Amino acid sequence: MTDPNDTVKQAASMDNNPEQIWSEPEEFSTEMTPADATILIELQRELVTLMREAGTGTGQFLDSGLTALQRHLGAQGIIVLQREQNWTERASVSPRFVGKYEESLLDRAIETQRAVFLRDVPAASWAQIFVPLSPDSILVLAGRKFGPSDLEVAHLAGELLETLRQTLDGLNQLQLTTSVRAAAEQSEREFQLERARGDSELIGASEFLSTLKEQTGALTQLEFPLCLSGEPGAGKRAVGRYLHWRKSESPGLLVEFSPGNTDGWEQLRAVANDPGQGTILLNNVELLSHDQQEELRQLLGSAEIVPSSLRRTWLIVTTTADLQREVDAERFQESLYRRLTVCSLKVPALQTRADDVLPLAQHFLQQAFRMAGRAIPELSHAACEALLQHSWPGNVAELRTVMERLVWRGTGDTINANDLLTELKWIRLSDPSEEFTTLSDATIEFQRAYIRAAISKARGNMTEASRMLGLHRTNFYRKMHQLDMVEAGSTPQAALDS
């Protein structure tokens, strides 16, 4: 986060206690790091959404808002305290992690309207940050990794939460008129629509995606169902969502479900019989039961007698199977097969779309770290090469999983090849037949990968890595020797490379 020299006054507290650092809001920097700015922007978006959802429930907004703060700021526990005759808890998330706090410091923070950072609070064992919210309330945050540099972001996050809470109070008191509510709802619909369009964007620069985007206009004008085929995880659903959100300015309802979803099947009947605009995205159509196949065939048949001007519900189906073989094996109706495959599109496997790998990796990496409220690291050149060399048997779904697993590894500013290779080994373990001949071999490699991940997360600190694994340091080294991971006197890097 922001350099503490730019955000807080590095001086002792009013009691000359070196463990207390008091903020000087007027000295906060006017420029923030991209990571801090991203945290506050994402937090603001979520809080605004929560405020809209809360309606007249101010308490509900405060509870859900604290949960958002906990996630975005990386706090273990949060409490909002109200000063009446004494300090009382108004709302909290995981308050047991906050521990005890000094009421005299709470009083002083309120009186001066200055935030304070306390390092290694004896009663809590973690750092605490006090942020005044109003003349009679204060926000207390506790976290393992909090430092003085977090004062500014915590202060601004607290101000944002309190401002929106007060706004919600004001809106409730004014009792918004029907017209204003209608305008707000319309604005929300437009906002959600625009966000859905953005979320459905296809990421990559492969020839397949370029061609698909060029043909979007023609595909979205189809009056026939569209069948998307391809390997599991190749991105068929993403293509279906993309086409739905770009078929018109007001694409209507998107109903997505799989054959086993009973509620979804009921919704399909309702949408199919309604001439209103919308899209049905039916995943894994090859799994339909014989009864469901027959009903779908009848629904498609009845739609054909409706004038084309009213036939606005579009059916998109996905399949990982060869439907012709399913027909030959008498597991799928031939008449339904012919209706569904008039217009077909095959989504190729990721290993044939090398130009999509790095853009997708960057997208999933940014998405995962933003969701976790962490600064987004960069991919090193070696890491990029490792991504391009991998065969991606699990396609786009595997790539997403690899990027999301990096969040808990405690990576620094850069994702290195060792971080990535460890994750790729974990993914390959899902199919033991590809790499191992015995269960014993698979178990050994699993333990090696797990230990490497712990060492990497501890950034080479072997004592910390052994603690994370619940082992004494001596037993930790003994275990690594048993797994042929290190030699006597070797470095943590050697253990990662073994």
Side-chain angles (χ1 to χ4, degrees):
M1 288 189 177
T2 310
D3 186 342
N5 290 323
D6 295 333
T7 60
V8 295
K9 188 174 183 179
Q10 300 298 321
S13 73
M14 296 180 180
D15 291 332
N16 295 319
N17 185 342
E19 297 301 315
Q20 299 176 16
I21 299 177
W22 291 78
S23 71
E24 293 288 355
E26 66 275 13
E27 294 183 12
F28 283 159
S29 61
T30 57
E31 296 183 0
M32 305 186 71
T33 66
D36 287 347
T38 297
I39 288 174
L40 290 172
I41 290 171
E42 294 295 332
L43 176 61
Q44 181 180 16
R45 287 177 178 171
E46 184 169 350
L47 288 177
V48 169
T49 299
L50 292 173
M51 185 181 70
R52 289 176 176 143
E53 294 174 349
T56 59
T58 306
Q60 174 189 338
F61 167 72
L62 185 57
D63 290 338
S64 55
L66 291 184
T67 300
L69 256 67
Q70 181 188 37
R71 183 172 63 259
H72 287 279
L73 300 183
Q76 270 66 47
I78 300 181
I79 295 178
V80 173
L81 296 170
Q82 190 81 18
R83 184 167 65 173
E84 297 171 348
Q85 293 182 347
N86 296 308
W87 285 102
T88 57
E89 181 180 318
R90 181 176 179 183
S92 65
V93 177
S94 302
R96 65 186 183 280
F97 293 120
V98 176
K100 297 181 179 179
Y101 38 81
E102 296 183 29
E103 294 190 358
S104 61
L105 288 177
L106 296 177
D107 293 335
R108 189 162 301 164
I110 285 293
E111 292 166 3
T112 61
Q113 286 297 294
R114 291 165 57 189
V116 59
F117 165 79
L118 289 84
R119 190 192 312 277
D120 299 328
V121 178
S125 77
W126 296 340
Q128 290 182 350
I129 296 178
F130 297 169
V131 179
L133 298 180
S134 68
D136 58 0
S137 65
I138 196 164
L139 178 70
V140 180
L141 305 98
R144 289 191 185 93
K145 298 181 180 180
F146 279 162
S149 62
D150 295 312
L151 265 176
E152 180 176 7
V153 172
H155 178 86
L156 294 175
E159 281 190 346
L160 178 60
L161 178 70
E162 180 62 11
T163 298
L164 292 177
R165 187 196 65 77
Q166 292 179 4
T167 300
L168 185 59
D169 277 342
L171 292 175
N172 292 336
Q173 293 170 4
L174 290 173
Q175 293 294 310
L176 290 176
T177 64
T178 303
S179 60
V180 173
R181 288 183 182 275
E185 290 171 359
Q186 178 62 25
S187 176
E188 173 65 15
R189 284 194 294 271
E190 293 174 356
F191 170 77
Q192 295 295 346
L193 176 62
E194 193 60 34
R195 185 171 67 174
R197 288 183 187 277
D199 290 344
S200 66
E201 184 62 57
L202 295 177
I203 308 298
S206 65
E207 182 179 355
F208 166 73
L209 290 187
S210 298
T211 303
L212 175 63
K213 291 176 180 179
E214 290 175 1
Q215 298 177 349
T216 295
L219 288 170
T220 55
Q221 296 302 313
L222 291 174
E223 293 186 355
F224 302 100
L226 173 64
C227 181
L228 301 173
S229 62
E231 295 180 1
K236 301 180 293 298
R237 293 170 61 198
V239 171
R241 295 190 195 102
Y242 169 81
L243 292 174
H244 163 75
W245 287 110
R246 281 154 186 81
K247 71 178 183 178
S248 69
E249 289 298 321
S250 301
L253 181 67
L254 173 64
V255 181
E256 180 180 356
F257 64 97
S258 298
N261 185 337
T262 305
D263 293 338
W265 193 253
E266 291 294 333
Q267 196 171 14
L268 179 145
R269 295 191 186 101
V271 174
N273 290 315
D274 186 341
Q277 198 172 21
T279 302
I280 298 171
L281 179 55
L282 174 55
N283 297 307
N284 301 315
V285 69
E286 72 276 9
L287 299 180
L288 287 174
S289 67
H290 288 294
D291 290 343
Q292 289 175 329
Q293 291 179 37
E294 175 60 23
E295 184 171 359
L296 181 58
R297 186 190 67 79
Q298 292 177 6
L299 288 172
L300 290 174
S302 64
E304 291 180 355
I305 65 174
V306 178
S308 60
S309 61
L310 297 179
R311 196 186 318 127
R312 297 177 179 175
T313 301
W314 187 22
L315 175 64
I316 302 177
V317 300
T318 73
T319 179
T320 59
D322 184 333
L323 289 183
Q324 181 61 65
R325 290 185 180 179
E326 295 296 303
V327 171
D328 295 341
E330 298 183 350
R331 290 189 292 266
F332 202 86
Q333 278 193 23
E334 183 173 6
S335 58
L336 179 59
Y337 164 73
R338 289 175 179 171
R339 293 179 186 276
L340 295 179
T341 56
V342 172
C343 300
S344 299
L345 179 65
K346 183 176 179 59
V347 180
L350 183 59
Q351 63 180 346
T352 67
R353 295 153 45 195
D355 290 339
D356 292 345
V357 173
L358 293 183
L360 281 168
Q362 293 282 4
H363 173 72
F364 293 144
L365 187 72
Q366 292 173 7
Q367 194 175 59
F369 276 76
R370 281 173 181 159
M371 289 282 291
R374 293 183 52 192
I376 301 171
E378 295 182 356
L379 288 168
S380 69
H381 178 74
C384 291
E385 287 298 320
L387 290 170
L388 293 173
Q389 291 298 320
H390 187 57
S391 61
W392 300 111
N395 289 296
V396 179
E398 179 186 359
L399 178 56
R400 177 192 288 272
T401 300
V402 169
M403 294 296 104
E404 289 176 347
R405 289 186 64 84
L406 292 170
V407 173
W408 65 265
R409 289 180 53 79
T411 55
D413 296 334
T414 303
I415 302 293
N416 298 311
N418 280 329
D419 299 324
L420 205 53
L421 292 174
T422 298
E423 296 305 328
L424 294 177
K425 288 179 181 179
W426 273 68
I427 297 299
R428 289 198 296 270
L429 283 171
S430 63
D431 187 358
S433 63
E434 292 186 2
E435 295 191 23
F436 309 111
T437 58
T438 68
L439 179 62
S440 177
D441 291 339
T443 302
I444 289 173
E445 185 57 30
F446 177 87
Q447 292 183 44
R448 287 173 176 165
Y450 201 87
I451 290 174
R452 289 190 194 101
I455 294 173
S456 178
K457 187 173 183 180
R459 302 191 179 187
N461 186 321
M462 304 301 271
T463 300
E464 176 64 13
S466 63
R467 186 194 65 77
M468 291 165 57
L469 294 173
L471 296 173
H472 188 276
R473 184 183 174 95
T474 302
N475 294 335
F476 181 46
Y477 277 107
R478 183 181 295 115
K479 185 63 176 178
M480 289 197 296
H481 281 294
Q482 291 173 353
L483 296 172
D484 294 325
M485 293 185 66
V486 292
E487 299 295 336
S490 61
T491 64
Q493 185 61 45
L496 288 172
D497 296 336
S498 62

